Every structure is written in structure tokens, then in C-alpha cells.
Amino acid sequence: MNITKTELQEILLRCQATTSGPWKSYVEGRDHTSGSSFIQTAGNDIELTGASINDQDFIASAKQDIPRLISVIANLKGWVL
């Protein structure tokens, strides 16, 4: 599978358009004892319906992981984004 510079830039722009980070997943019973599970952001917290704990952890981590992965890919390709 290959990716173009334009596709990589579009992914980065979508990530940058989200609420500021870092994002952290808080799961009731694992990370705190009352309230609901949520993703903490620099803005409003995100509460998901129908997501598993793994889904929530993945979504929260993606905010930090995607820019790192994009940076590695861009460096390997010799691209400046």
C-alpha cells in the first residue's frame, strides 16, 4: 500500500481540525470510580455511546499517535508537510 503526499496532508489537516490535545481516555471503574467514561481534551470532554473501552482508548490515543506517524512517514519519504 502506498500513500501520496496529498493524502498524508489531508489526514494531518483532519487531525489538526479536532479539539486541542492531548486527549486522555478515562474509563469508569478503571481510571475513576464515579461518573461516566469519557475522553478528556483541552476543550469539552467527549462522551461516546456504543463504544467499547478499547474503542475509546484508541480514539483518545489517535489524537497523539496520528501526528507522530505522519511525521515518521513524511521523514521517510523526504517530504516537508
Side-chain angles (χ1 to χ4, degrees):
M1 180 182 284
N2 206 357
I3 191 165
T4 67
K5 184 176 180 180
T6 299
E7 290 170 325
L8 202 61
Q9 288 171 321
E10 289 170 351
I11 294 167
L12 182 58
L13 287 172
R14 282 193 298 272
C15 188
Q16 290 172 336
T18 63
T19 302
S20 297
W23 290 10
K24 178 155 176 39
S25 176
Y26 285 95
V27 175
E28 182 182 9
R30 181 188 76 185
D31 304 308
H32 59 91
T33 56
S34 64
S36 60
S37 299
F38 65 96
I39 297 172
Q40 182 183 51
T41 74
N44 293 327
D45 294 336
I46 300 168
E47 294 195 39
L48 303 171
T49 302
S52 69
I53 291 170
N54 289 332
D55 293 341
Q56 180 174 311
D57 288 343
F58 174 81
I59 293 165
S61 295
K63 177 62 176 173
Q64 291 75 238
D65 294 347
I66 289 173
R68 291 180 62 210
L69 290 169
I70 288 172
S71 177
V72 169
I73 293 167
N75 286 336
L76 290 172
K77 298 274 193 179
W79 296 337
V80 176
L81 301 180

